[in-house]
Amino acid sequence: MATSLDADVRPIIPDDIARVVIAPKSYTDDATIYGAFRWLREHMPLGIAQVPGYDPIWVVTKHADIKEVERNGKLFHNADHNPILVDQASDAFTREINGGSLRILSSLTYMDPPEHASYRTLTSNWFLPGKISKLEEQIRVLARQSVDNLLSFDGECDFVRDFALHYPLRVIMTLFGVPPEDEPRMLKLTQEFFGVHDPEEQRPEMAADPVVAAKQWAASIEDFYVYFDKLSAARREQPTDDLLSLIANSRINGAPIPRDEANGYYVAIATAGHDTTSSSTAGGLHGMMVYPENWAKVKADPSLIPGLVDEAIRWTSPVKHFMRNATADTQVRGMDIRAMDRLMICYPSGNRDEAVFADADRFDITRSPNPHIAFGFGPHMCLGQHLAKLEMRILFEELLPHLESVELAGDPRLVETNFVGGYKALPIRFKKS
Ligand code: HEM
């Protein structure tokens, strides 16, 4: 179908910039990706990327525009097309194996009004700050175990592999009721699920295939389904008070939640809930190593930890994009957007928008206010945001008193992804207090 994105009167983003924004590899290098976003915000805040092999898309880079698009869930849908940007070959493969549909997972991300609200309501209460705060002691026990583990290293470790990766996974799996012995399987699946473009995260037999991303997604989702089907059945037979039991025993329109939708929920929470948080935690420590005045401040005044958490999430922006699809002709920033146009919401760019954040590239835990959009905005805004912030606050509260100093012991490495990711390695040298 022809859309306004085909017309040559539209603002077309220069090829080199468009390729940077779309290529997963660009996200392994802050200077490259943030340089491209800076250029776009200044010269073409709402422009069209036309990269061969991909659908033409609007690239939304300004904080205000991202909020405007995300706020209106009826005008901008998630699920009329793929809510995640992949190449056309991968979308074609997904359609082929999925009965013509791109809805590969029946999770909140793949839903629009009114379906979205009816599913989100099932758990939104459980995730409210007042409810989540009751989990504080349970989470603190897990944080202490992780800190003890870090301190068992002799002054040097990889903060991601040896520490940040495991704790959020333990938290969400504990709240989910997944037994500890199954956590490595969950970790592996999540990394495959999100790290589909990173050669180190791919299943080897798929690395050379042009539809690798779609195949790996399908394989990861199937693995998750097999696992969660069993757990779901157990919770229906014997309900407990964990999150998985809540979902397994919930009802939609008076009937038990269908299998695909229950599994979609589990997969979304299992995957969204920890890679993002571990990357933000690593980003928080990295930020303080690059801008050490923050370390001195938070060591002297632990009441700055909530500010550290928010700044870590802004600065890291572990979710790189989601897509929206216009349902009707409309305008954003004076540009004509037509029904069926696709828009790429670039959270890391919005979070470095100089119109909102002074000295935006700088890591500053005293930044106030800090209206970042790393959790998105509007009806799809992150369901787990309060849990993520609580986990990170507790972890830093437990960790910081035990560390006298910390410094980089090698180059940090970032995951090759334009979707969800962040630190793959953060080598540190530390002195215990
Ligand atoms: C959605 C970011 C942690 C569960 C999202 C979205 C973003 C995001 C950007 C899409 C929002 C939008 O479309 O407007 C993050 C970040 C996290 C984090 C940066 C950590 C620092 C978590 C945690 C959980 C979680 C801990 C669950 C335990 C979800 C779910 C959705 C979501 C279920 C889909 C919501 C919907 O479509 O209605 N998150 N997230 N996230 N997140 Fe998170």
Side-chain angles (χ1 to χ4, degrees):
M1 179 190 298
T3 77
S4 63
L5 294 176
D6 302 321
D8 56 10
V9 290
R10 310 266 137 196
I12 305 297
I13 298 172
D15 194 49
D16 53 336
I17 302 277
R19 284 173 191 270
V20 166
V21 171
I22 287 180
K25 199 163 179 54
S26 319
Y27 293 78
T28 61
D29 177 35
D30 277 1
T32 304
I33 189 63
Y34 283 114
F37 283 142
R38 195 176 310 116
W39 188 94
L40 283 168
R41 285 192 307 272
E42 195 179 337
H43 301 284
M44 212 177 264
L46 193 57
I48 295 163
Q50 290 181 322
V51 171
Y54 286 84
D55 283 354
I57 50 163
W58 289 98
V59 178
V60 190
T61 52
K62 292 288 282 180
H63 189 276
D65 297 346
I66 292 174
K67 284 175 74 174
E68 186 181 335
V69 170
E70 290 222 292
R71 172 182 289 125
N72 196 335
K74 281 195 183 130
L75 186 54
F76 295 103
H77 271 183
N78 272 38
D80 293 347
H81 203 293
N82 193 341
I84 299 154
L85 182 69
V86 296
D87 56 36
Q88 291 165 324
S90 301
D91 274 340
F93 178 78
T94 301
R95 284 201 164 99
E96 195 182 311
I97 59 166
N98 203 35
S101 166
L102 286 169
R103 179 160 158 165
I104 198 156
L105 188 68
S106 287
S107 71
L108 296 176
T109 302
Y110 289 79
M111 293 179 185
D112 289 309
E115 184 189 30
H116 174 254
S118 56
Y119 277 92
R120 190 162 161 126
T121 313
L122 298 180
T123 59
S124 50
N125 234 0
W126 194 94
F127 281 103
L128 286 175
K131 289 273 166 59
I132 292 290
S133 64
K134 298 203 175 76
L135 305 168
E136 176 146 354
E137 276 322 301
Q138 205 181 344
I139 294 175
R140 199 170 286 280
V141 171
L142 301 176
R144 285 198 190 115
Q145 286 167 0
S146 292
V147 171
D148 287 348
N149 189 47
L150 177 82
L151 297 174
S152 71
F153 285 86
D154 198 16
E156 211 165 313
C157 72
D158 178 347
F159 190 75
V160 175
R161 193 193 54 218
D162 300 324
F163 182 68
L165 211 54
H166 305 285
Y167 162 73
L169 179 71
R170 293 226 56 203
V171 173
I172 193 64
M173 292 303 149
T174 304
L175 304 181
F176 234 0
V178 167
E181 61 272 20
D182 293 339
E183 283 173 18
R185 182 171 175 189
M186 289 291 120
L187 180 62
K188 177 97 180 63
L189 283 175
T190 309
Q191 286 174 334
E192 287 177 352
F193 192 71
F194 283 144
V196 289
H197 293 289
D198 195 315
E200 288 179 25
E201 310 290 348
Q202 284 168 0
R203 292 170 187 234
E205 72 276 14
M206 292 176 180
D209 195 306
V211 290
V212 59
K215 278 191 177 168
Q216 184 161 314
W217 263 69
S220 299
I221 288 171
E222 188 50 38
D223 283 358
F224 271 119
Y225 271 37
V226 168
Y227 181 82
F228 280 122
D229 269 344
K230 270 197 222 140
L231 219 51
S232 220
R235 292 297 189 281
R236 285 196 185 116
E237 206 164 293
Q238 204 166 5
T240 59
D241 60 1
D242 61 44
L243 181 56
L244 200 135
S245 188
L246 173 70
I247 297 167
N249 293 294
S250 61
R251 298 178 78 77
I252 284 284
N253 303 326
I257 185 169
R259 175 198 182 230
D260 274 359
E261 279 68 14
N263 278 331
Y265 232 122
Y266 306 141
V267 172
I269 291 174
T271 54
H274 64 89
D275 238 22
T276 44
T277 312
S278 68
S279 268
S280 304
T281 305
L285 193 74
H286 186 207
M288 291 196 287
M289 290 190 281
V290 180
Y291 296 95
E293 65 278 11
N294 290 287
W295 176 263
K297 282 182 194 161
V298 76
K299 285 288 287 174
D301 180 4
S303 74
L304 293 174
I305 289 176
L308 161 61
V309 167
D310 260 316
E311 182 66 345
I313 296 168
R314 179 192 76 90
W315 200 66
T316 316
S317 289
V319 178
K320 310 304 177 194
H321 86 272
F322 267 110
M323 300 298 293
R324 294 292 190 268
N325 213 65
T327 58
D329 292 356
T330 184
Q331 281 207 330
V332 178
R333 196 171 278 274
M335 300 281 174
D336 289 326
I337 310 277
R338 303 271 155 74
M340 296 306 289
D341 280 358
R342 300 185 72 197
L343 298 92
M344 181 184 194
I345 306 293
C346 299
Y347 303 109
S349 177
N351 281 337
R352 301 281 176 114
D353 188 341
E354 25 311 270
V356 178
F357 303 99
D359 207 357
D361 288 336
R362 186 174 187 79
F363 186 85
D364 178 2
I365 65 171
T366 61
R367 198 179 281 284
S368 177
N370 190 345
H372 70 75
I373 44 172
F375 290 120
F377 194 73
H380 284 276
M381 190 172 183
C382 180
L383 189 61
Q385 58 177 310
H386 305 296
L387 177 61
K389 293 212 276 188
L390 178 72
E391 277 176 51
M392 287 178 64
R393 172 173 66 73
I394 294 173
L395 190 69
F396 281 118
E397 282 171 0
E398 292 298 324
L399 176 67
L400 293 180
H402 293 284
L403 295 184
E404 187 187 312
S405 63
V406 58
E407 61 181 17
L408 274 175
D411 289 335
R413 291 197 306 133
L414 301 171
V415 177
E416 203 172 300
T417 179
N418 63 14
F419 178 36
V420 173
Y423 292 81
K424 187 149 70 176
L426 184 67
I428 59 163
R429 201 171 296 120
F430 61 88
K431 276 205 188 106
K432 299 175 202 173
S433 299

